[in-house]
Amino acid sequence: MWSEETPSLNNQQYQLLQELGRGRFGTVFRCLHRASNRLHAAKLIHKRHLTDSTDRRCLQVEPKAMTFLSPHPNILQIIDTFEDADTTTLVLELCQRRTLFDRLSDDGALPEPHAASLAKQLLEALAHCHALGLAHRDIKPDNLLFDDANNLKLSDFGSAEWFGEGVTMSGVVGTPYYVAPEVIMGREYDEKVDVWSSGVIVYTMLSGIPPFYGESVSEIFEAVLRANLRFPTTIFRTVSAPAKDLLRKMICRDPSRRISAQQALSKFIFY
């Protein structure tokens, strides 16, 4: 377990300040870059928490992916990385503590113009990732942060995977409510799994509820596999027809008919 005291870094350029949150592998702190007097976030990952090859792969992939993708206004910026025998530290752009998940949990559905703005920023980030041959594979509200200007920032690239022309991916990764059906079925898939997940987030922003749900993981997966996308009148009465049409194209069970992130971006001309 982590000590209740703030640990020190072996890199004297940075000073750790207060704890911001804890995850599966470590703890995030606010930190100060001494020379510039700028505040960042430091993600400390304790190596003893990495229990298998998948965990270790996540640790290797995330800093490489973030460095490869930077800079982009809607992707969390990595600033520095260093390690010692026990800990790997990622120094990251400092964001607000409330994620999109927190905002939706507290506030419920968003007005369509607000949801459209966030959706556009998410798709801008995804289109950038996909153009460079990288799929995120774990798009969910918890991984969508906000900077001080309320710009959306895509984070947590531990499950990311590179792909290329004609090269598919495999492996069950993602989060139940947001994972694409082809992932659940154990099939090979492409970067459009991110488009499905983003569509589910857009639906949730507009309605306050996910399109597919259940009382257990297996029930959620069954609902995702059925992919019976509905727009209840009582919930979607104020949502525009173009927005619902976009959702149908993003949350499409057949990945060959599902639009790309770049194609989805073109739909925002009506805003």
Side-chain angles (χ1 to χ4, degrees):
M1 297 295 292
W2 285 82
S3 167
E4 292 300 321
E5 299 179 358
T6 301
S8 59
L9 292 177
N10 64 340
N11 188 318
Q12 296 304 309
Q13 295 182 71
Y14 300 95
Q15 176 188 355
L16 290 186
L17 304 174
Q18 68 268 38
E19 180 181 315
L20 297 177
R22 299 194 177 202
R24 179 181 172 191
F25 300 125
T27 309
V28 178
F29 293 88
R30 189 186 305 268
C31 76
L32 176 71
H33 184 249
R34 299 178 193 273
S36 66
N37 206 38
R38 290 183 178 178
L39 291 172
H40 303 300
K43 183 177 182 178
L44 274 63
I45 304 167
H46 209 294
K47 294 178 182 179
R48 70 169 177 264
H49 293 170
L50 308 177
T51 57
D52 57 34
S53 59
T54 300
D55 293 344
R56 290 188 289 273
R57 180 193 173 280
C58 290
L59 178 59
Q60 294 169 351
V61 166
E62 184 168 27
K64 291 180 181 178
M66 295 181 74
T67 301
F68 184 65
L69 295 169
S70 293
H72 187 279
N74 298 118
I75 294 176
L76 187 69
Q77 183 179 358
I78 186 167
I79 295 162
D80 203 351
T81 179
F82 48 90
E83 64 181 304
D84 56 28
D86 300 316
T87 308
T88 294
T89 300
L90 307 183
V91 180
L92 306 166
E93 176 182 6
L94 182 63
C95 286
Q96 300 176 35
R97 295 185 71 166
R98 290 180 76 224
T99 66
L100 179 60
F101 177 84
D102 297 321
R103 293 188 180 196
L104 293 174
S105 297
D106 294 341
D107 305 330
L110 305 178
E112 185 172 330
H114 187 189
S117 173
L118 296 182
K120 187 174 186 294
Q121 292 177 71
L122 173 55
L123 288 167
E124 292 277 9
L126 280 188
H128 179 70
C129 294
H130 295 173
L132 294 176
L134 190 75
H136 186 283
R137 301 202 302 170
D138 194 18
I139 303 292
K140 58 184 177 181
D142 317 56
N143 290 337
L144 299 178
L145 312 180
F146 298 91
D147 65 14
D148 288 340
N150 276 323
N151 297 308
L152 181 141
K153 299 281 183 172
L154 178 59
S155 72
D156 198 344
F157 285 81
S159 297
E161 182 65 271
W162 278 269
F163 63 91
E165 188 67 32
V167 177
T168 56
M169 295 167 281
S170 61
V172 179
V173 292
T175 303
Y177 285 113
Y178 309 98
V179 67
E182 61 266 32
V183 176
I184 298 172
M185 289 186 282
R187 295 178 178 174
E188 293 187 337
Y189 50 84
D190 61 20
E191 72 277 9
K192 287 185 180 178
V193 295
D194 289 342
V195 177
W196 172 283
S197 302
S198 300
V200 172
I201 289 174
V202 177
Y203 184 105
T204 306
M205 288 194 293
L206 290 169
S207 67
I209 58 172
F212 314 114
Y213 48 88
E215 296 299 321
S216 64
V217 171
S218 61
E219 287 185 7
I220 296 169
F221 281 172
E222 288 172 6
V224 170
L225 290 172
R226 287 194 298 270
N228 185 14
L229 186 63
R230 296 180 177 178
F231 299 101
T233 304
T234 54
I235 298 174
F236 281 86
R237 64 182 180 277
T238 61
V239 176
S240 70
K244 287 183 277 192
D245 180 63
L246 176 61
L247 288 172
R248 291 186 188 97
K249 290 179 168 64
M250 294 177 71
I251 311 175
C252 176
R253 191 176 188 276
D254 181 355
S256 68
R257 295 175 54 241
R258 191 181 308 152
I259 61 175
S260 68
Q262 190 60 53
Q263 289 170 329
L265 273 174
S266 71
K267 301 295 182 181
F268 283 87
I269 191 170
F270 61 85
Y271 286 102

